[in-house]
Amino acid sequence: MPYLLLILGLATLVVTGDLLVRGAVGLSNRMGIPPLVIGLTVVAFGTSAPELVVSLSAAAEGAPGLSIGNVVGSNITNILFVLGVPALFFSIDCKQTGLRRSTAFMVFVSILLIFLSLDQTISFTDGLILIILLAGYLVYNGVEANRMRKKGQAIEEIVEEIDDAPDDTRKITIYLLIGIVGLPLGGKLTTDSALDIAKIMGVAESAVGLSIVALGTSLPEFAAGMAAALRRQSAVAIGNAVGSNIFNILSIIGVTSMIIPLHVDSNFLQFDYWVMLLISVGLLPIVFMHRSIGKFEGLIMAAFYVIYLYFVFTVGHSVVEGSI
């Protein structure tokens, strides 16, 4: 039963999160907010809503391992799985304007997360630092985008992915209400069932967060990545993954730790953080050399993802947290 409830919870998160994004984009369009602002704020935050809701719910339930594991696992999944699997079908070009800067920033915030976790606690102050960095990141990207527009350079808008946002008030209201009500319910259901599964399997809560929950909450990014690959929109595919990783650390860990300080289990500092950092750094040469992620690279990435999941369950998180 917990497995079915987890699937139901994840499905609720994905569906209601998608409706919330579409409703918010529709409302923003009705209010005359520029597409760039919508892309950098509404869509970016909205697509991270499942991870945010699960992390907040897990922290409130006294399960910081699940909360942090969801974010770290999602970041690993976004690179190895969300980028790797679509690359098996179509090459993902890495020559987009600003991609070097964003990828380097992703590596930086990954290192920062490790540094802030060295005392095994992510405090209110740590969260505030992350939120300030997020605000700076958004402002900087907004300024750069406007500068490029003035020069006549084409910019691929994130909002282009939202191709069926509602335009009438009634539908917008329904979408927003479903999203606002459904996300917390889905988050609660996902958290409770994930904790039950961890007990049944005899593994740490973080193991479920790093794997099953992380994969489930990354489904919107995966769907967007596959759709972008099919349409040969490399900028959307890789920008979606890199941007989500930045938002996961800065917004989700930032917001959650400002509400409830997070205890960082030693497993993260010994293993998972370094896997996240290693694959982030591994993306740098591809981006800075303007290479493409082709079938060979995609196969390696997908294989590493499977190997990582194996280690999560058999080595890194095979015992319940608190008993180490």
Side-chain angles (χ1 to χ4, degrees), residues 87-102:
L88 294 174
F89 302 93
F90 302 101
S91 293
I92 298 176
D93 186 43
C94 299
K95 300 178 181 179
Q96 292 76 27
T97 302
L99 183 58
R100 290 179 175 180
R101 180 177 63 248
S102 294

Side-chain angles (χ1 to χ4, degrees), residues 164-221:
D164 58 349
D167 54 7
D168 65 276
T169 305
R170 181 170 170 272
K171 186 173 289 188
I172 289 173
T173 303
I174 292 174
Y175 279 22
L176 289 175
L177 286 176
I178 293 175
I180 292 170
V181 174
L183 273 174
L185 293 176
K188 175 67 174 175
L189 188 58
T190 299
T191 301
D192 289 348
S193 55
L195 293 176
D196 289 340
I197 290 173
K199 292 178 182 178
I200 292 173
M201 297 179 67
V203 299
E205 61 199 30
S206 53
V208 179
L210 286 160
S211 55
I212 302 172
V213 177
L215 180 59
T217 54
S218 291
L219 287 178
E221 286 88 348

Side-chain angles (χ1 to χ4, degrees), residues 134-152:
L134 175 63
Y137 174 74
L138 291 176
V139 170
Y140 179 80
N141 275 278
V143 171
E144 280 294 297
N146 285 327
R147 182 181 63 81
M148 291 168 61
R149 278 188 168 181
K150 289 179 181 178
K151 288 185 175 181

Side-chain angles (χ1 to χ4, degrees), residues 55-286:
S55 292
L56 284 171
S57 178
E61 292 280 346
L66 178 58
S67 182
I68 298 173
N70 178 39
V71 170
V72 175
S74 291
N75 280 20
I76 293 171
T77 301
N78 282 343
I79 294 180
L80 296 183
F81 184 76
V82 172
L83 283 180
V85 173
L88 294 174
F89 302 93
F90 302 101
S91 293
I92 298 176
D93 186 43
C94 299
K95 300 178 181 179
Q96 292 76 27
T97 302
L99 183 58
R100 290 179 175 180
R101 180 177 63 248
S102 294
T103 306
F105 189 65
M106 176 183 68
V107 173
F108 168 74
V109 297
S110 298
I111 295 173
L112 178 62
L113 178 61
I114 296 174
F115 176 77
L116 294 176
S117 301
L118 289 178
D119 60 355
Q120 292 195 282
T121 301
I122 303 177
S123 64
F124 174 89
T125 303
D126 297 333
L128 182 60
I129 292 172
L130 297 176
I131 292 299
I132 291 173
L133 274 175
L134 175 63
Y137 174 74
L138 291 176
V139 170
Y140 179 80
N141 275 278
V143 171
E144 280 294 297
N146 285 327
R147 182 181 63 81
M148 291 168 61
R149 278 188 168 181
K150 289 179 181 178
K151 288 185 175 181
Q153 292 177 263
I155 300 175
E156 186 120 31
E157 302 285 5
I158 303 175
V159 77
E160 287 179 359
E161 295 180 57
I162 312 300
D163 53 7
D164 58 349
D167 54 7
D168 65 276
T169 305
R170 181 170 170 272
K171 186 173 289 188
I172 289 173
T173 303
I174 292 174
Y175 279 22
L176 289 175
L177 286 176
I178 293 175
I180 292 170
V181 174
L183 273 174
L185 293 176
K188 175 67 174 175
L189 188 58
T190 299
T191 301
D192 289 348
S193 55
L195 293 176
D196 289 340
I197 290 173
K199 292 178 182 178
I200 292 173
M201 297 179 67
V203 299
E205 61 199 30
S206 53
V208 179
L210 286 160
S211 55
I212 302 172
V213 177
L215 180 59
T217 54
S218 291
L219 287 178
E221 286 88 348
F222 176 67
M226 281 298 295
L230 290 171
R231 297 194 299 265
R232 304 293 202 278
Q233 293 179 340
S234 295
V236 173
I238 191 165
N240 174 51
V242 172
S244 291
N245 281 12
I246 293 172
F247 269 87
N248 282 347
I249 293 176
L250 297 184
S251 66
I252 297 173
I253 294 293
V255 170
T256 303
S257 59
M258 287 182 69
I259 298 174
I260 305 172
L262 298 172
H263 169 72
V264 182
D265 189 75
S266 58
N267 283 322
F268 290 110
L269 289 166
Q270 294 170 2
F271 182 60
D272 305 288
Y273 275 170
W274 301 105
V275 173
M276 179 183 69
L277 179 59
L278 179 63
I279 61 174
S280 297
V281 171
L283 199 60
L284 282 176
I286 298 176

